[in-house]
Amino acid sequence: MTIHVLGSVNIDYVYRVPNLPQPGETLAGLSRAVHLGGKGANQAIAAARAGAPVRFIGAIGPGDDWTRDRLAAAGVDVSCVAEVEEATGHAIIYVDAAGENCIVIHGGANRAIPEAVVEAALAQAQAGDWWLTQNETSGVTEAAARAQSRGLRTVHVAAPFVPEDALPVLPHTDLLAVNEGEAAALASRLGGAVPVDVMLVTRGAAGAAWRERPTVPDGAGELSVPAFAVTAVDTTGAGDCFLGYALAGLHAGLTPEVALRRAAAAAALSVTREGAADAIPEAAEVDAFLAERS
Ligand code: ADP
């Protein structure tokens, strides 16, 4: 069984600046760093590091093969990653001395994933496989509908949260993952039952909740999993690390309680390190952390 990730690849260009630029201002950057990011890529790497068989379905632009190589190096099957003419998805991130940031995202290739690679992945998928999407690529709703009708278990991460994008995917979603802010935005839009089997809500340092046949904002009957206390240095991508590990565990047959505890350990380790994809721990590190904390 495989976890298929129809997902985004982003290159994060991070510039440290003395202050965030004002309208009309030209600034000299203090330093520049380039990281692999994108919710899809981060989640795929996390699930693969957790031990799951993962296939990535997506697109990158010319000259950025290293992004695909990094996915492959993490153990992800990249046979359904297309090269297209659009630029690889990227984010220009300015970070000032106080850690405040401002970000511009260009979807690029993530919004131009060829139908043929989605087709190819669906044709090779088996009933019982999982199909994971986020709100950073083209074709999410249609692909989720087709995956579900082929007997795949569909998981959607409604981030970045845009109600007009999220609502059409819900009827084709078995498991919906959101953070607390997104859950609140969904509650204000829907007001009642969320039409999915399970909703997974992450709450940063306050942990995570697993709700079956969820209603919002009521959390009755939810399984609550605390976060581990650590000294966080960079929480970018914590949710992606958590989700990848959680899905890998559930996919391997762990109970939600055990899978989410493992995911919380992986995410706790990730927030103690800089970066998103780079901060995702290996399974052995997570095992050692769990042994130490139990
Ligand atoms: P997102 O990055 O999507 O906003 P969250 O901030 O809710 O996601 O974090 C996802 C998970 O990562 C949490 O449920 C928790 O297990 C872990 N986590 C996040 N921030 C911390 C932190 N400061 N300390 C320990 N664990 C954290």
Side-chain angles (χ1 to χ4, degrees):
M1 284 205 296
T2 302
I3 300 177
H4 305 265
V5 185
L6 170 61
S8 52
V9 174
N10 267 346
I11 303 176
D12 292 342
Y13 297 99
V14 185
Y15 300 87
R16 293 216 164 257
V17 287
N19 56 275
L20 297 180
Q22 303 302 305
E25 184 177 9
T26 300
L27 271 176
L30 302 173
S31 67
R32 173 181 183 265
V34 180
H35 302 291
L36 176 64
K39 290 180 184 300
N42 295 339
Q43 291 166 12
I45 288 173
R49 291 205 171 133
V54 180
R55 165 172 290 153
F56 196 82
I57 302 117
I60 58 172
D64 291 323
D65 291 1
W66 67 270
T67 56
R68 182 170 43 198
D69 295 345
R70 287 278 299 282
L71 283 166
V76 175
D77 174 339
V78 295
S79 58
C80 289
V81 177
E83 190 169 322
V84 297
E85 279 178 18
E86 282 78 1
T88 305
H90 56 273
I92 308 290
I93 304 169
Y94 300 133
V95 185
D96 73 8
E100 199 57 61
N101 64 27
C102 64
I103 303 175
V104 175
I105 292 182
H106 179 69
N110 294 323
R111 298 281 174 195
I113 298 173
E115 183 59 22
V117 287
V118 179
E119 249 343 294
L122 282 169
Q124 292 167 48
Q126 311 280 325
D129 283 358
W130 291 42
W131 185 264
L132 168 63
T133 51
Q134 320 77 33
N135 190 25
E136 283 188 338
T137 68
S138 50
V140 170
T141 302
E142 213 218 330
R146 292 177 58 202
Q148 202 177 43
S149 72
R150 290 182 57 98
L152 277 69
R153 186 162 165 71
T154 53
V155 181
H156 182 62
V157 180
F161 186 75
V162 178
E164 290 64 35
D165 294 337
L167 299 180
V169 197
L170 296 183
H172 313 295
T173 300
D174 297 317
L175 191 163
L176 175 71
V178 285
N179 67 19
E180 226 175 357
E182 292 150 3
L186 194 64
S188 76
R189 252 332 250 267
L190 288 177
V194 184
V196 296
D197 292 344
V198 177
M199 187 157 85
L200 178 55
V201 183
T202 59
R203 298 178 174 142
W210 172 271
R211 296 182 190 164
E212 296 186 5
R213 285 173 296 285
T215 53
V216 283
D218 175 22
E222 72 177 25
L223 165 73
S224 189
V225 176
F228 289 92
V230 289
T231 306
V233 298
D234 180 1
T235 60
T236 316
D240 296 333
C241 177
F242 184 94
L243 188 88
Y245 261 85
L247 291 194
L250 294 165
H251 183 262
L254 301 182
T255 61
E257 194 168 1
V258 176
L260 266 49
R261 184 172 153 77
R262 192 167 170 70
L269 280 168
S270 82
V271 303
T272 64
R273 304 166 183 177
E274 297 279 348
D278 296 330
I280 298 166
E282 300 285 348
E285 297 174 272
V286 178
D287 290 338
F289 181 87
L290 279 168
E292 193 186 294
R293 297 288 180 120
S294 64

